[in-house]
Amino acid sequence: MVLDTQFLAATDEGIGQAAAILRAGGLVAMPTETVYGLAGDARNGTAVARIFEAKGRPRFNPLIVHVPDMAMARDMAEFDERAEAVARAFWPGALTLVLPVKASAGLSPLVTAGLPTVAIRMPAHPLAKALLRAFGGPVAAPSANPSGKVSPTTADHVRQGLGGKIEAILDGGACAVGLESTILGLDGSPALLRPGGIPVEELEAMLGAIAVGGPGALPNAPGQLPSHYAPDAPVRLGAVAREGAEIWVGFGPDCAGADLTLSAKGDLVEAAAALFQTLRDADALAGPEGRISFAPVPETGLGRAINDRLRRAAAPRG
């Protein structure tokens, strides 16, 4: 479906309209000091799934959660003294912190990609701050561009890439920084997960030497291990019917006898929003001796991301 993407002015009325769209589960491109972000309610699984769909994002990578103040940040993540100090020094600003996520955060599982951490940022752009305050909740907001393309620094860049796929663009003019935020992992030893708008030297002046990438042999990022997002029960893919006593998860109208379904109508957005919770539900039903099977999901659009995560869930365990 092609949407009539609105341009919203940088006024109280425009901000109010944008907040109303977010509350209704819609998507709004908002300016930040780095680049324009594609904002959706971080607590609404369908809204978050639509972010992946609009961008054509090929796999479930964690999304950055944007918040208006420290009170909300502390509701989302565990801040130790080190994280508090870094936030005081660099927020609001072009720095994203990766911290342990709170169980009570209420975020869609798609936001964190099933990881025990959350990437969180407090933007400095006055329009972004105003929208976050008006909305009153956390928003997931990757760059507002098709995946793999140049990041947008003006509202027109967003229109060129995502026009017809999102509800609105809040026009704040050109972005001041024009480079995505620096991502700093603080869930262990400090780690530079992405260089960006805050030079690493400024962070090292405060924290000392910072490693590049996550702790251990692999970066602290999703999608690196062959076996990932795996439930306790073994997983079988491509199941067109139940075998034995396994828990069969269907997709589409041809799976009427399935125990659970990612989407009875075959909607990939709905399936993406339901994937992680369905994995957990199927695991609980399977029990310690059971097995889970999944019906085929098309290898198109969000289906590629769904299948990527299902293949990792079904991979041999180390």
Side-chain angles (χ1 to χ4, degrees), residues 20-31:
I21 290 169
L22 292 175
R23 283 192 288 270
L27 304 183
V28 177
M30 69 175 187

Side-chain angles (χ1 to χ4, degrees), residues 1 6 9 12 31 84 93 102 138-140 156 173 181 211 241 260 266 277 295 298 302 312 314:
M1 180 176 67
Q6 306 175 62
D12 288 345
E84 288 277 357
K102 283 190 171 179
V139 302
D156 195 54
S181 63
L260 300 169
Q277 186 61 55
L302 279 180
R312 295 181 191 281

Side-chain angles (χ1 to χ4, degrees), residues 56-125:
R57 197 172 172 101
R59 53 178 69 175
F60 286 152
N61 291 321
L63 301 177
I64 296 173
V65 174
H66 292 63
V67 297
D69 51 45
M70 279 302 300
M72 190 178 296
R74 294 188 188 104
D75 286 341
M76 301 293 109
E78 300 283 356
F79 281 77
D80 58 17
E81 291 184 4
R82 179 185 54 177
E84 288 277 357
V86 171
R88 283 195 300 270
F90 294 99
W91 279 359
L95 178 68
T96 295
L97 298 180
V98 174
L99 300 169
V101 65
K102 283 190 171 179
S104 59
L107 298 170
S108 163
L110 296 177
V111 171
T112 60
L115 296 173
T117 53
V118 61
I120 193 163
R121 181 162 98 85
M122 188 191 304
H125 195 289

Side-chain angles (χ1 to χ4, degrees), residues 2-5 157-166 169:
V2 177
L3 300 175
D4 181 16
T5 301
H157 292 165
V158 179
R159 178 195 60 77
Q160 292 170 24
L162 298 180
K165 297 180 179 181
I166 64 177
I169 303 167

Side-chain angles (χ1 to χ4, degrees), residues 240 248 250-258 261-267 270 295-296 298:
V240 296
W248 182 32
F251 176 83
D254 295 332
C255 299
T261 183
L262 292 174
S263 172
K265 59 187 178 182
D267 186 304
E270 182 179 44

